[in-house]
Amino acid sequence: MEATKISSCVIDIQGMRCQNCVRNIEKTIGEKLGVTDIQVDLEKKEGIVQYDGELVNPTQISEFVVAMGFASKVKTTDISLGSQQNPTNTISNEVQIIKNSENNVVNDQNQKCYIKISGMTCASCVAAIEKHTVKMNGVSKILVALMAGKAEVFYDKSLVSPQAICDWITTLGFPSNLLDGTDRTKNNDVIQENGKAQVELHIGGMTCSSCVYNIEMHVAKMDGIFQARVALSTQKGMFTFDPDRIGPRQIIDQIINLGFEASLVNQGMERSMSHLDHRDEIRRWRNSFLVSLIFGLPSMIVMTYYMIQMEEDEHHHTNMCCIVPGLSLENLLLFILATPVQFIGGRHFYVAAYKAIRHGTTNMDVLVMLATTISYVYSVAVLVAAMATLQSTSPMTFFDTPPMLLIFVSLGRWMESVAKGKTSEALARLLSLQATEATLVELGVDEEVVSERSIPVELVQRGDILKLLPGAKVPVDGKVISGTSTCDESLITGESMPVLKGKDSMVIGGSVNQHGRLFMVATHVGQDATLAQIVRLVEEAQTSKAPIQQLADKVASYFVPMVVTVSLMTLVAWIIVGFVNVDLLPVSEMEKEAYSQAELTFQFAFRCALTVLSIACPCSLGLATPTAVMVGTGVGATNGILIKGAEPLENAHKVKTVVFDKTGTITRGFPMVTTIVQLVDDAVFYLPKMMAIIGIAETNSEHPIASAITKFVKEALKTDLVAKCSDFHTVPGCGLRCQVSNLDEMEKSLLQSPLAQERLKGSLSKRDPSSPSSLVVIDTSMVKPTLVALSRSESNKNSCFDVLIGNREWIRRNGLDVPAEVESKMLELERMGQTVVLCAIGGVLVCAIAVADTVKPEAHLTVYTLKKMGLNVALLTGDNKKTAKAIARQVGISTVYAEVLPSHKVAKIRMLQEKGEKVAMVGDGVNDSPALAQADVGIAIASGTDVAVEAADVVLIRNDLLDVVACLDLSYRTVKRIRLNFLLASIYNLIGIPIAAGVFSPLGIHLQPWMGSAAMALSSVSVVCSSLLLKCYRKPAKEKLETFSYVKARDTRNLSISDDDLSLPGEVTSKSLGSFSAINRILRVKPSTHSLLVGTDTEDVELGDASHHDASESYPLRKMVSA
């Protein structure tokens, strides 16, 4: 074992903004060769790094940080930490157990692995695995998910290996396989670790060692290959390479060029699908049921026949005996039929029960085996005793119990496995979206196809150019480089309508190209793709446990011992009753005549005790939560709502306050043109031509307002801005001046543009609602024909227009006056939080353009609905008070926290939590990460393909605020279903066990053991089926939420809003529900009045609260939607 000298250094790191930066640096630098540990302090802006001086030095570490985009320099170096033994060779696959598991503490140095576990049937199995695995030396924590059949294990890689953990769980009686670990990542079939990648290939056509040498030699010479190993016996090869320089496809091509066949060893999809649909479990329990049925059905017929014979008057019990003394034909037939069922049909129960008892735990299998074994052994014992004593009658036996009980239990397990497979349908459907092949093309200079070929999707690499034909699945995430089409993204984002795709549009892997041919460049492949991220998040969510499930697991761990105790008490109680007074036993007169007091007492007592063992069911308790969580998270994923675990799913329904970020959440996150105030008539200066000149002038500016105007002009005119712009001059903070000429090439296209067509129709109401330009108000109230006219005939090849665009000061500085009515209009727009620029062409003011970060169309309805659900809504933003209040008024939010730095947003969330409220924070995940993490439920709105926002508990893929309402509603429905499941399971056991124990026998209500087993099977299946009803969930649609009361409130608000609409803090008004401005922009109606936005100078602004109107109108969403 080799000693390694570890040193430490302090690195100064500038540019970090939040804990995401800290985690990113620690993860990236920690994976570098030679770095053993790194801890970054955000407040001190430094990182303490432990490293092996023989492999890396502090300067190199600092350069690594700089390469990540942060400013860095070395503070102190060469702080020796002494020598420590290299633990690499001490990791053992041997199972090491320590008695005190408290020494295993979860910390940042722990690794995480996922293990597939089969054979679990109830919460007792989960408790047994967690209890014994956490005792392993090096295992810090383990979370086992019953429904997902997976375990998440945190371990110290220097003390134990993932394979050793798998082996240990297997010895507990639950076959296990390693799925993945965090010390390496797997992209399709490529394993990446420490900057290197490995791929295993199947190689065909090798005949001798010369073939092996030939492949290894030629592949090893390729640029980026570290190692090539080929095995002739297995016809496989393992290749280690640099993923930044070469990929699996090049390796496969090289092997094929050598004359051999090569393909990826694909292990992933089929195995995942088999795991999700529980196909192995279904097959096992189906076979067990069939074996039990083959022998159990004849057993039932025999039992029924002799029961009918006994009820006939002329038959007596002695008449049916005996083949040999003490052995009747009935008992002989039942013995012959019960024996194969006991030892063949019940072998799965025996094996599982034995392993559980061997490790000191109990589960459902133990109860089943106790009931069947006791009944079988008791029956054999009394039968042998009767034969040995040469009895004239054959004793009553329970040979009918094992086959009948195992029939119903195995049938229940079979049905339960099928139902559990249904709970994973959403995840299986997501996996099935993955395309299997992609068309790789090479494009020429003029974008013509030079070559194309079909390749497996696993071989697609970043930067590849792919062709998408109509009807084809998009293989990976990418960007369109040419072509126009629409894509169906409904199964990924929940967007029901096809999404238009053109040049530079992003496409998502798994969506379906509908009618046009597209060429795309791959940007995210393998585990980086959106679909893979969604699948991973859903799997992790289904692996996690809700807090309510932990209570169920604890109850289940005590359930089996408690049931055994009740069964023994039942046995003893009825034995005492029988010996005290046999007439108190609720048995028939025929039985009293046929058997002695002792025989009758023991038979009845054993029957009741066996029935208690048969009917008790911890499975239903254990399945109540995980089945509902699995269906709930799956339904959420198919509706574009990614819930990252059972805990946020449960906590979301407790939320009392919803806090929204402004930029990118309530608003679109980028400036847009909102209003064009036309100052000259179309006869003086044609509006489309006016906008074209302004757009051409703004193309040379990089200012955000210029970008917004240019984007609007291109959208409205549907043409490229190809005219000439010269003498361009800009003054920061004021505006620009230039000359625009050569418009003749655009004249025809301007006449055919959507904006020109709308002007000809005299209406703007027929625009495409999906177009950004459709939200722009064209205000013609300021048009005055008396202004100086510009003749349209001046537009010729040599015409040149002098253009001025900027603020008031810039216009006046260039010799133009701003009329008082124009000044008044600008003030009106600015009071609504908009930025206004004036435009002059040829020395004449032609228009004023208002630009703002516009409110999302669904924001007002979202806030209204949340308030109707009885929730408080607040706005939390770093923007200035004036803009924040304007936005809040537009959407109906009454509580505003403005000018709050990102680092201080956490304090605001904490302040609300200290009031005893459960808080949900809704943000875009960029600068809101600390606040999202602090909130009880962090909801992030994903942008594009970024669905893995680390700090958030919930990610909304569709970028639709109404999904916030759907998330809370889904949480409520899921928690309601969990509670119903617990109620069903609890009532079943609380009522079923007393009935089985014979408490109600005096009333004529009693059960046979096989009846108990049938009821037990039914209880588990009923709980799973109850959870499956969640699949019928449909999230609230916009049409349902726009109720009559909402429309009425909105219209009333539009008509009655005035300057004195605002209230002081604490006042209540019913007119603060929303602002006319956002709604009117959406409806494209020019407002006749405006609101003067005023307020206090305090940071927290309280506006009129619409949520405090008549309490009778504040009711949960579920009632509103159903109404």
Side-chain angles (χ1 to χ4, degrees):
M1 198 176 299
E2 148 180 2
T4 302
K5 186 174 182 179
I6 302 298
S7 298
S8 177
C9 66
V10 179
I11 305 292
D12 179 76
I13 305 174
Q14 300 295 327
M16 298 185 295
R17 296 179 182 274
C18 61
Q19 290 299 325
N20 273 344
C21 300
V22 172
R23 285 192 290 268
N24 190 19
I25 294 172
E26 290 180 341
K27 179 181 178 182
T28 304
I29 303 303
E31 293 175 350
K32 297 295 182 182
L33 184 64
V35 177
T36 59
D37 184 39
I38 176 172
Q39 294 183 356
V40 179
D41 192 315
L42 179 62
E43 294 183 358
K44 295 181 179 179
K45 299 186 182 302
E46 64 181 24
I48 301 175
V49 187
Q50 296 179 17
Y51 62 97
D52 183 350
E54 296 180 358
L55 300 175
V56 70
N57 60 57
T59 303
Q60 291 174 321
I61 297 173
S62 178
E63 291 173 354
F64 293 152
V65 178
V66 172
M68 296 179 63
F70 301 92
S72 176
K73 63 180 180 180
V74 180
K75 275 189 175 181
T76 56
T77 60
D78 298 331
I79 305 174
S80 178
L81 299 179
S83 297
Q84 68 179 39
Q85 298 296 324
N86 186 355
T88 305
N89 298 324
T90 65
I91 303 175
S92 173
N93 283 339
E94 297 297 326
V95 177
Q96 299 178 2
I97 304 299
I98 57 174
K99 292 183 179 179
N100 185 10
S101 61
E102 294 179 359
N103 295 330
N104 294 342
V105 180
V106 179
N107 55 57
D108 295 338
Q109 308 306 317
N110 285 136
Q111 300 293 321
K112 181 168 67 172
C113 68
Y114 291 95
I115 297 174
K116 175 188 172 184
I117 304 176
S118 57
M120 296 185 294
T121 57
C122 62
S124 299
C125 304
V126 173
I129 294 172
E130 291 181 342
K131 174 184 176 182
H132 291 283
T133 305
V134 81
K135 293 179 181 179
M136 292 185 68
N137 188 19
V139 175
S140 309
K141 184 181 179 182
I142 178 172
L143 292 172
V144 179
L146 174 64
M147 291 304 303
K150 287 172 59 178
E152 182 181 6
V153 186
F154 296 84
Y155 66 97
D156 187 340
K157 64 179 182 180
S158 64
L159 299 174
V160 69
S161 70
Q163 189 57 49
I165 301 172
C166 283
D167 295 341
W168 173 242
I169 295 175
T170 302
T171 63
L172 295 175
F174 305 95
S176 306
N177 294 307
L178 184 65
L179 290 179
D180 195 9
T182 55
D183 50 349
R184 63 179 189 174
T185 60
K186 187 172 182 180
N187 248 349
N188 294 324
D189 294 288
V190 180
I191 298 172
Q192 296 189 19
E193 184 174 6
N194 297 326
K196 296 181 180 181
Q198 278 188 336
V199 64
E200 186 178 14
L201 302 179
H202 177 76
I203 303 174
M206 295 187 296
T207 57
C208 62
S209 57
S210 296
C211 301
V212 173
Y213 175 75
N214 189 22
I215 295 172
E216 289 181 343
M217 180 184 67
H218 284 86
V219 173
K221 289 180 180 179
M222 297 177 69
D223 182 38
I225 296 292
F226 296 121
Q227 188 180 41
R229 291 178 297 165
V230 179
L232 178 63
S233 58
T234 60
Q235 297 283 298
K236 291 180 181 179
M238 181 68 74
F239 302 91
T240 306
F241 60 94
D242 183 349
D244 295 328
R245 295 156 63 190
I246 195 173
R249 190 172 70 245
Q250 287 90 337
I251 300 175
I252 290 176
D253 290 343
Q254 176 71 0
I255 296 173
I256 292 175
N257 291 336
L258 293 173
F260 303 95
E261 299 175 357
S263 61
L264 288 171
V265 179
N266 196 340
Q267 302 172 342
M269 181 64 71
E270 184 65 28
R271 188 170 169 185
S272 297
M273 297 296 290
S274 172
H275 171 55
L276 286 174
D277 58 20
H278 296 261
R279 135 181 355 163
D280 293 336
E281 280 188 41
I282 292 173
R283 183 172 57 251
R284 181 192 312 131
W285 293 117
R286 182 192 61 206
N287 295 340
S288 178
F289 167 71
L290 292 176
V291 170
S292 301
L293 184 65
I294 289 171
F295 295 97
L297 193 58
S299 177
M300 187 184 302
I301 294 172
V302 169
M303 182 181 64
T304 305
Y305 170 77
Y306 282 102
M307 192 178 296
I308 294 172
Q309 289 292 318
M310 285 291 296
E311 289 179 356
E312 293 183 5
D313 295 336
E314 62 271 15
H315 279 81
H316 189 267
H317 192 69
T318 55
N319 298 335
M320 304 176 66
C321 192
C322 297
I323 299 174
V324 295
L327 176 63
S328 65
L329 180 60
E330 177 189 7
N331 279 334
L332 177 61
L333 292 175
L334 290 176
F335 169 76
I336 293 173
L337 294 171
T339 301
V341 176
Q342 180 73 14
F343 297 104
I344 299 176
R347 67 185 185 280
H348 299 301
F349 297 99
Y350 268 114
V351 172
Y354 168 73
K355 291 181 177 179
I357 295 172
R358 190 181 68 178
H359 291 93
T361 59
T362 54
N363 56 20
M364 187 66 212
D365 300 310
V366 173
L367 290 180
V368 173
M369 281 300 98
L370 277 175
T372 57
T373 303
I374 290 173
S375 60
Y376 184 82
V377 171
Y378 169 83
S379 300
V380 170
V382 295
L383 198 59
V384 170
M387 293 171 62
T389 57
L390 302 178
Q391 295 290 326
S392 60
T393 60
S394 189
M396 177 181 286
T397 59
F398 297 103
F399 283 125
D400 59 310
T401 299
M404 296 297 294
L405 191 148
L406 290 175
I407 281 176
F408 289 108
V409 173
S410 55
L411 176 62
R413 291 281 177 88
W414 182 19
M415 295 173 62
E416 183 183 316
S417 298
V418 172
K420 285 197 287 188
K422 298 289 184 183
T423 64
S424 305
E425 271 187 354
L427 191 53
R429 192 182 303 118
L430 286 173
L431 283 173
S432 67
L433 293 177
Q434 177 66 59
T436 57
E437 290 188 342
T439 303
L440 178 69
V441 299
E442 285 187 34
L443 298 181
V445 179
D446 298 325
E447 294 190 354
E448 75 279 7
V449 177
V450 176
S451 66
E452 72 174 66
R453 59 177 173 140
S454 182
I455 61 173
V457 72
E458 293 85 4
L459 297 181
V460 175
Q461 298 169 193
R462 185 175 298 175
D464 286 347
I465 298 177
L466 308 174
K467 183 173 77 171
L468 297 178
L469 295 175
K473 286 183 179 179
V474 179
V476 294
D477 293 357
K479 180 186 288 187
V480 176
I481 58 176
S482 68
T484 303
S485 182
T486 56
C487 287
D488 180 6
E489 300 177 349
S490 57
L491 289 176
I492 300 173
T493 66
E495 177 60 60
S496 58
M497 297 298 293
V499 182
L500 181 65
K501 301 295 181 182
K503 186 177 180 181
D504 295 332
S505 298
M506 301 301 296
V507 289
I508 302 176
S511 58
V512 180
N513 180 31
Q514 293 200 318
H515 62 262
R517 188 182 71 169
L518 297 175
F519 289 99
M520 60 170 283
V521 58
T523 58
H524 297 82
V525 300
Q527 295 302 311
D528 296 329
T530 301
L531 185 59
Q533 292 183 51
I534 292 173
V535 169
R536 186 177 70 251
L537 290 175
V538 175
E539 281 185 331
E540 290 177 358
Q542 294 178 348
T543 304
S544 64
K545 288 186 180 181
I548 194 172
Q549 174 64 20
Q550 297 170 1
L551 175 63
D553 289 348
K554 190 172 183 180
V555 171
S557 65
Y558 296 103
F559 188 86
V560 174
M562 182 186 70
V563 170
V564 174
T565 303
V566 171
S567 178
L568 290 173
M569 291 172 61
T570 302
L571 178 67
V572 172
W574 282 116
I575 289 175
I576 294 174
V577 169
F579 278 104
V580 170
N581 186 354
V582 73
D583 293 330
L584 295 178
L585 295 178
V587 293
S588 65
E589 292 298 326
M590 181 184 67
E591 289 178 309
K592 289 181 180 179
E593 294 175 4
Y595 303 104
S596 64
Q597 178 182 5
E599 193 174 13
L600 189 63
T601 300
F602 278 107
Q603 286 172 355
F604 183 80
F606 265 101
R607 184 192 306 160
C608 291
L610 290 175
T611 307
V612 170
L613 293 177
S614 302
I615 202 171
C617 184
C619 294
S620 53
L621 284 171
L623 293 171
T625 298
T627 52
V629 167
M630 177 163 279
V631 178
T633 51
V635 167
T638 56
N639 284 280
I641 304 169
L642 291 183
I643 303 173
K644 296 185 182 179
E647 187 169 354
L649 182 63
E650 181 182 341
N651 288 339
H653 85 287
K654 303 176 183 176
V655 167
K656 296 299 180 185
T657 300
V658 181
V659 179
F660 287 93
D661 177 46
K662 182 182 77 67
T663 305
T665 305
I666 291 292
T667 65
R668 298 179 184 272
F670 52 87
M672 292 179 61
V673 175
T674 59
T675 306
I676 298 175
V677 181
Q678 195 172 349
L679 303 179
V680 294
D681 191 79
D682 277 355
V684 176
F685 209 103
Y686 195 38
L687 180 62
K689 183 176 179 180
M690 178 200 305
M691 297 311 301
I693 294 172
I694 294 171
I696 292 166
E698 292 284 23
T699 54
N700 293 278
S701 174
E702 296 180 356
H703 196 280
I705 293 178
S707 301
I709 294 174
T710 303
K711 182 178 180 181
F712 165 74
V713 172
K714 288 181 178 179
E715 177 70 31
L717 299 181
K718 295 292 183 184
T719 184
D720 292 328
L721 305 177
V722 294
K724 181 181 178 181
C725 180
S726 58
D727 295 335
F728 183 82
H729 178 69
T730 181
V731 176
C734 291
L736 64 85
R737 179 177 63 244
C738 67
Q739 290 184 341
V740 176
S741 58
N742 297 342
L743 284 171
D744 55 311
E745 295 182 11
M746 296 181 59
E747 288 288 347
K748 280 188 179 181
S749 60
L750 290 179
L751 292 173
Q752 301 298 323
S753 67
L755 184 59
Q757 297 298 317
E758 289 165 0
R759 297 300 287 171
L760 289 173
K761 294 174 184 176
S763 172
L764 296 175
S765 62
K766 295 183 180 180
R767 295 186 186 180
D768 177 10
S770 64
S771 170
S773 63
S774 66
L775 304 180
V776 177
V777 173
I778 308 294
D779 186 349
T780 59
S781 63
M782 305 291 293
V783 173
K784 291 189 177 180
T786 56
L787 289 174
V788 178
L790 290 174
S791 174
R792 294 181 64 189
S793 64
E794 291 180 5
S795 182
N796 54 56
K797 288 186 178 180
N798 298 319
S799 64
C800 185
F801 298 95
D802 293 324
V803 182
L804 287 173
I805 304 175
N807 56 23
R808 304 173 183 81
E809 180 186 350
W810 178 248
I811 296 297
R812 292 187 179 115
R813 189 188 300 178
N814 284 273
L816 298 180
D817 291 330
V818 180
E821 57 269 27
V822 176
E823 179 77 30
S824 175
K825 188 66 178 179
M826 292 177 67
L827 287 173
E828 177 185 337
L829 294 170
E830 287 170 348
R831 284 170 182 145
M832 288 189 281
Q834 303 179 32
T835 302
V836 185
V837 294
L838 293 169
C839 304
I841 301 176
V844 177
L845 280 178
V846 293
C847 69
I849 301 177
V851 177
D853 182 7
T854 57
V855 172
K856 293 179 180 178
E858 74 277 7
H860 184 273
L861 178 58
T862 301
V863 173
Y864 176 86
T865 306
L866 291 174
K867 288 185 174 183
K868 295 292 282 185
M869 294 168 65
L871 303 178
N872 301 318
V873 183
L875 183 68
L876 179 62
T877 178
D879 212 338
N880 62 76
K881 299 183 184 69
K882 181 178 178 181
T883 303
K885 288 185 287 184
I887 296 297
R889 178 54 54 91
Q890 292 180 35
V891 298
I893 295 179
S894 56
T895 304
V896 181
Y897 304 107
E899 299 179 3
V900 182
L901 296 174
S903 57
H904 295 165
K905 289 183 178 180
V906 174
K908 290 294 181 185
I909 299 296
R910 191 178 293 119
M911 177 190 74
L912 293 171
Q913 290 172 328
E914 288 172 354
K915 296 178 181 178
E917 299 179 356
K918 292 287 185 181
V919 180
M921 172 70 190
V922 185
D924 57 9
V926 179
N927 61 354
D928 307 309
S929 296
L932 289 172
Q934 175 65 36
D936 297 286
V937 180
I939 304 175
I941 298 179
S943 56
T945 57
D946 180 21
V947 298
V949 183
E950 284 189 29
D953 301 307
V954 180
V955 179
L956 308 180
I957 304 176
R958 289 184 56 201
N959 197 4
D960 186 348
L961 283 178
L962 286 176
D963 283 347
V964 175
V965 177
C967 170
L968 300 179
D969 186 43
L970 178 61
S971 170
Y972 168 79
R973 299 290 184 90
T974 305
V975 171
K976 181 181 178 182
R977 185 61 55 182
I978 290 173
R979 290 172 176 169
L980 178 61
N981 290 347
F982 273 121
L983 183 64
L984 289 173
S986 301
I987 289 177
Y988 163 80
N989 283 296
L990 289 175
I991 295 178
I993 292 177
I995 293 176
V999 174
F1000 301 103
S1001 293
L1003 302 178
I1005 303 174
H1006 60 274
L1007 297 175
Q1008 296 290 337
W1010 67 269
M1011 297 178 183
S1013 65
M1016 178 194 66
L1018 183 63
S1019 70
S1020 298
V1021 174
S1022 64
V1023 166
V1024 177
C1025 290
S1026 171
S1027 296
L1028 284 175
L1029 290 176
L1030 276 174
K1031 294 179 71 175
C1032 300
Y1033 174 80
R1034 296 292 180 270
K1035 68 179 182 181
K1038 182 179 179 181
E1039 294 74 18
K1040 286 188 176 181
L1041 295 179
E1042 288 180 334
T1043 58
F1044 175 76
S1045 60
Y1046 169 72
V1047 175
K1048 183 179 178 182
R1050 182 188 64 190
D1051 294 343
T1052 303
R1053 176 70 172 172
N1054 293 342
L1055 293 173
S1056 62
I1057 190 166
S1058 61
D1059 288 354
D1060 57 355
D1061 178 56
L1062 289 178
S1063 61
L1064 295 175
E1067 285 187 43
V1068 177
T1069 174
S1070 63
K1071 299 190 294 181
S1072 308
L1073 202 54
S1075 170
F1076 68 95
S1077 55
I1079 298 172
N1080 284 340
R1081 282 207 300 277
I1082 295 169
L1083 298 176
R1084 299 176 295 281
V1085 178
K1086 177 184 175 299
S1088 58
T1089 60
H1090 68 273
S1091 170
L1092 186 62
L1093 295 174
V1094 296
T1096 64
D1097 291 331
T1098 58
E1099 182 180 280
D1100 304 342
V1101 183
E1102 294 285 347
L1103 305 180
D1105 192 350
S1107 65
H1108 294 114
H1109 52 69
D1110 187 4
S1112 64
E1113 291 193 21
S1114 181
Y1115 49 89
L1117 173 67
R1118 57 189 182 278
K1119 295 182 180 178
M1120 184 169 69
V1121 173
S1122 62

